[in-house]
Structure formats: C-alpha cells, structure tokens
Amino acid sequence: MIIAEDGEKLGVMSKNEAIDLAYERDLDVFVVAPSAKPPVAKFMDYNRHKYEQQRKQREARKNQKVVSLKEIRLSPKIDIHDFETKLRNGRKFLEKGDKLKVSIRFRGREMAYTNKGREVMLNFAEKCADIATIESYPKQDGRNMYMRLAPIKDKK
C-alpha cells in the first residue's frame, strides 16, 4: 500500500513499481507500517523527515526543566546562627526549583540522641513550609539521617 507525499492513497503495488515511481518524483520510499497487511509505505524526502524529527527533539529538550538535588548537612547540636545560615541557603535552592536533601551525620555518642537530630530536621522543614513540602520524612540509615524537600509547584 503506497501513500503519496500529499497523503493521497496510490493503492497496492509491487516494491519495484513503488521504487520506480518514487525515483521519478525524486523522493524516497519509507515503510511506515511493515507489520500491516499489506505493508504501508510512503513517498517522502527522507533527509527532510530526519531533519524535522531532530528539530522536534531539540524543541522538546529546550522545554525540559532539569531538577537537580542539592544537599545541606546539619548536626544534632547545631547553633542558632549556623542553623539560620543553612536555612537561608536551603531556601535559595528551593526557590530556584531544586530539590533539597537535608542530612545529619551522628558521630560517636551522638547516636544516643537521634531524636534531637529528627527535631532539628523537622524544624528545618517547618521553616521552609511556605515554599517546600516534605518529599520523604527523616529516615535513619546507619549513622546518617536523611530528609528530602521538594519545592511547591507554582499554581499558574
């Protein structure tokens, strides 16, 4: 089954007839549906078709937004000023549209106070509540505790 470049159906013809007709029109024969009965082929300029596909892919890539994951490290016994500095940096990342991973590493005897670390993390999330949501709540993994924050989508 052959389809012309303008979409008109030319009917069923042999492979050699289709190639000869395409050669006369200075076009290529492109098999669109090889598994159909009979197989469907189309006359087209293959180079132009390839160029248009590449252009569509470029446009799709251009409209993509890359979201990166930034990390902020806290400690269970962090001072107020240090906490505010980390909070300010974390808010900058979230406002830019990046996801934020907040982590705490427990050293030595700090392992006995994991609840203090959880409080610090939840306090951090609470201070960012206007621009971010908690994607994953604080989880303990050995000596580390992680939490992920995601920026709130704009309602446009």
Side-chain angles (χ1 to χ4, degrees):
M1 177 60 125
I2 302 295
I3 300 172
E5 64 273 8
D6 58 358
E8 177 190 343
K9 291 184 182 176
L10 300 178
V12 179
M13 59 178 75
S14 72
K15 181 178 164 184
N16 290 335
E17 286 179 76
I19 292 172
D20 290 340
L21 193 57
Y23 185 75
E24 289 173 15
R25 295 180 180 197
D26 199 28
L27 295 170
D28 301 314
V29 180
F30 187 72
V31 179
V32 180
S35 60
K37 298 288 182 202
V40 179
K42 187 173 184 180
F43 290 157
M44 66 172 64
D45 184 1
Y46 184 69
N47 288 333
R48 181 174 175 202
H49 172 72
K50 209 162 87 172
Y51 170 75
E52 287 173 1
Q53 292 294 331
Q54 288 173 345
R55 198 176 72 212
K56 284 179 189 173
Q57 286 177 348
R58 266 197 308 270
E59 285 296 317
R61 261 191 309 237
K62 193 184 297 181
N63 295 333
Q64 255 178 7
K65 185 173 189 297
V66 176
V67 177
S68 62
L69 180 68
K70 301 288 187 174
E71 182 175 4
I72 297 257
R73 287 192 168 195
L74 304 174
S75 73
K77 54 185 180 187
I78 191 166
D79 195 37
I80 294 168
H81 183 264
D82 295 336
F83 179 81
E84 289 171 356
T85 303
K86 301 271 186 176
L87 179 68
R88 195 169 40 248
N89 288 333
R91 288 180 68 89
K92 269 189 224 170
F93 295 143
L94 290 166
E95 286 167 356
K96 271 199 298 186
D98 297 329
K99 290 186 178 184
L100 185 65
K101 176 180 173 183
V102 183
S103 64
I104 292 182
R105 173 144 173 96
F106 297 100
R107 293 194 203 94
R109 294 184 187 154
E110 290 176 350
M111 280 301 290
Y113 302 102
T114 55
N115 58 348
K116 179 70 176 147
R118 187 176 308 277
E119 286 174 19
V120 169
M121 283 190 156
L122 292 174
N123 185 21
F124 190 93
E126 186 182 310
K127 302 265 184 177
C128 294
D130 58 327
I131 60 169
T133 58
I134 298 176
E135 194 174 68
S136 69
Y137 283 88
K139 290 182 192 136
Q140 182 95 24
D141 181 27
R143 292 191 159 278
N144 299 312
M145 187 178 283
Y146 301 103
M147 174 179 71
R148 287 178 58 164
L149 300 174
I152 295 174
K153 303 279 188 271
D154 290 338
K155 295 170 183 124
K156 292 182 181 176

